[in-house]
Amino acid sequence: MNKVCKHFSQCGGCTSQDILYPMQLKMKEEEIKKMADFFSLKTEIKPINHFSPFFYRNKMEFTFSSDEEKKVICGLHSKKGDVFDLEECLIFSPYTGEILRIVKDYLKDRYPAYNKFTHQGFLRHLIVREAKSTHQLMIGLVTTSMFYLEKEKFLKLLLSSSWGGKISSVYWVINDSVADAVIFQKKELIYGEPFIVENIGDFSFHIFIDTFFQTNSVGAEVLYKKIEEYAQLKGKEKILDLYCGVGAIGIFLSKKVEFVWGVDVEKSSIESASLNAKINNLTNISFICADVKKFLINFKLPQPDLVVVNPPRCGLSKKIKKHLVKLRPPYILYSSCNPSTFFVDLKDLGEFYNVEFIEPFDFFPHTPYVECLGKLTLRKK
């Protein structure tokens, strides 16, 4: 029997935690092989990469709610869809229980939890980020504008805790949207630096409260090293990094190529990517804020030797695939957290490219999710 969280029976997250981890890996490998067969992709399926199955996540978003006695609770969504009070989270941080306990004990008698049905209340979410390499913590309290947060008292509580010395950043985020999600309508840094630092390989990355970053930092480093290995870089390559986010993959490859262009539609991501390039003293990388489809349609850069693609879960649209093929890069390295769209895209691109291999990465132990990497080589006419 695997080590099981006390909330396993009710939490909607780690649905496979009661299965021995080696068996989980085998199941995921088999699922990838079945999908390859289903899409008639005759290619090598490499062994799944795996990492520590516990305390691997670098970010969690917890939700405030009220229990049957109208008391403030904070936790995750249960299998039924309601919020349950959380005491531990074995996939995030050893500090999870203590952080939630201290925050709830302070806030519960001062402010009401937000009700997503009546749209009344104050406390909405608690964001906690933990850099796995530096162990720095970032806390983000998400509320409505219904009340004013007593910031000094809240900070004193956090900083006086046993883990207070690890806190590098605290934000107060205002979200009056009716959507049941974290939306950064207004954010205020109330303590420390605006970022925490995560080290991946030889590079440092500044992670802000609203930054999208690979959830599994340890796994991300292995993935980036594999991409570098499979790219077989000689030093003269020009690389196009589509859906670059904060620039992690492009930055990781930059010291072994001539130039990298990163493209992403999110302005905040491009700003973070440019900052990350600067703090790593890189001059051969540039980031472009643009919609990927429009960028490829109006492509005006030098011909890339390699295109790296890491799209959102929805994968690539038909037009993006059409114009990517039209660009005819000799190689494409495609990574995705959604095997369903990943295989559809590989099947479509396979009309013009050979799929050399598919390699899974277990970024999400105890869940059904898996990251995949594929290498595609342009077929000769």
Side-chain angles (χ1 to χ4, degrees):
M1 177 69 72
N2 225 6
K3 182 179 181 181
V4 177
C5 170
K6 65 171 66 176
H7 303 296
F8 173 73
S9 62
Q10 62 183 143
C11 182
C14 300
T15 54
S16 304
Q17 204 176 99
D18 59 337
I19 301 173
L20 289 172
Y21 189 52
M23 182 58 67
Q24 292 183 39
L25 295 173
K26 184 177 180 180
M27 291 166 62
K28 290 184 178 183
E29 282 187 326
E30 290 301 316
E31 185 62 26
I32 295 301
K33 290 176 182 177
K34 287 179 182 178
M35 294 185 76
D37 289 341
F38 178 83
F39 285 95
S40 301
L41 287 174
K42 306 300 182 183
T43 189
E44 176 189 5
I45 308 296
K46 292 182 177 289
I48 190 169
N49 295 268
H50 57 93
F51 321 96
S52 173
F54 295 104
F55 302 129
Y56 61 85
R57 287 187 65 95
N58 54 37
K59 178 189 176 185
M60 288 293 289
E61 293 178 0
F62 303 105
T63 301
F64 286 99
S65 188
S66 299
D67 62 14
E68 294 179 351
E69 299 177 355
K70 306 299 181 183
K71 293 181 180 178
V72 171
I73 61 174
C74 186
L76 297 171
H77 287 85
S78 73
K79 295 173 182 177
K80 297 179 181 178
D82 59 338
V83 175
F84 68 91
D85 211 20
L86 194 80
E87 296 181 7
E88 68 176 4
C89 182
L90 299 183
I91 64 169
F92 176 49
S93 170
Y95 303 111
T96 303
E98 187 69 7
I99 291 172
L100 291 178
R101 184 187 65 78
I102 287 178
V103 170
K104 284 184 293 187
D105 285 351
Y106 174 75
L107 296 174
K108 66 182 182 182
D109 296 324
R110 289 172 169 82
Y111 307 103
Y114 178 78
N115 186 305
K116 66 179 181 180
F117 300 108
T118 64
H119 308 301
Q120 297 296 310
F122 183 65
L123 303 170
R124 297 197 68 166
H125 295 92
L126 184 71
I127 304 170
V128 186
R129 305 192 83 136
E130 180 186 49
K132 298 303 182 180
S133 58
T134 62
H135 305 294
Q136 294 176 345
L137 288 172
M138 173 183 285
I139 308 291
L141 181 65
V142 184
T143 73
T144 66
S145 58
M146 185 176 181
F147 295 97
Y148 183 78
L149 178 68
E150 295 180 294
K151 293 179 284 189
E152 291 185 4
K153 292 182 179 179
F154 182 60
L155 287 174
K156 185 177 180 180
L157 170 87
L158 295 178
L159 297 175
S160 63
S161 66
S162 60
W163 39 268
K166 298 182 182 295
I167 297 176
S168 296
S169 178
V170 181
Y171 279 88
W172 178 21
V173 179
I174 301 294
N175 176 20
D176 285 322
S177 166
V178 296
D180 188 23
V182 176
I183 298 175
F184 298 89
Q185 291 184 330
K186 180 183 176 181
K187 56 186 178 182
E188 179 186 352
L189 179 69
I190 60 176
Y191 174 78
E193 297 288 344
F195 55 83
I196 55 176
V197 178
E198 185 72 286
N199 297 318
I200 305 288
D202 297 329
F203 303 97
S204 295
F205 296 90
H206 286 187
I207 311 299
F208 296 83
I209 188 68
D210 53 354
T211 296
F212 173 78
F213 199 75
Q214 279 284 7
T215 304
N216 190 322
S217 300
V218 174
E221 181 170 348
V222 174
L223 173 64
Y224 301 162
K225 286 181 177 179
K226 291 273 187 162
I227 290 174
E228 179 185 321
E229 174 189 346
Y230 298 143
Q232 298 179 308
L233 303 171
K234 302 293 192 297
K236 297 295 183 180
E237 290 84 0
K238 299 178 181 66
I239 294 180
L240 181 60
D241 182 8
L242 299 179
Y243 304 98
C244 67
V246 297
I249 296 177
I251 286 172
F252 205 87
L253 299 177
S254 62
K255 288 195 173 180
K256 293 193 175 183
V257 302
E258 183 176 314
F259 207 88
V260 179
W261 291 273
V263 182
D264 201 284
V265 72
E266 292 292 336
K267 182 180 177 182
S268 60
S269 293
I270 291 299
E271 290 172 347
S272 293
S274 298
L275 174 63
N276 286 326
K278 183 177 180 180
I279 64 176
N280 286 287
N281 301 311
L282 301 175
T283 58
N284 66 330
I285 188 167
S286 178
F287 296 100
I288 302 163
C289 187
D291 175 80
V292 168
K293 181 179 71 176
K294 293 178 180 178
F295 173 81
L296 290 175
I297 291 173
N298 302 297
F299 189 80
K300 296 178 181 178
L301 296 176
Q303 172 69 22
D305 301 293
L306 166 68
V307 174
V308 177
V309 186
N310 184 215
R313 289 186 59 81
C314 60
L316 304 177
S317 70
K318 289 187 178 297
K319 285 190 175 180
I320 288 176
K321 284 179 277 195
K322 173 185 174 182
H323 288 282
L324 180 56
V325 168
K326 188 177 179 180
L327 190 60
R328 294 183 64 80
Y331 303 99
I332 299 173
L333 282 165
Y334 184 155
S335 63
S336 171
C337 63
N338 187 354
S340 297
T341 54
F342 172 79
F343 276 100
V344 170
D345 291 340
L346 290 197
K347 180 67 173 178
D348 292 344
L349 293 169
E351 185 177 348
F352 305 93
Y353 283 81
N354 291 320
V355 180
E356 302 294 338
F357 62 79
I358 294 167
E359 185 166 359
F361 296 75
D362 190 25
F363 280 6
F364 319 102
H366 313 303
T367 76
Y369 307 111
V370 62
E371 186 88 9
C372 287
L373 174 67
K375 182 176 182 180
L376 295 83
T377 303
L378 183 65
R379 287 180 181 158
K380 296 180 181 179
K381 289 185 176 180

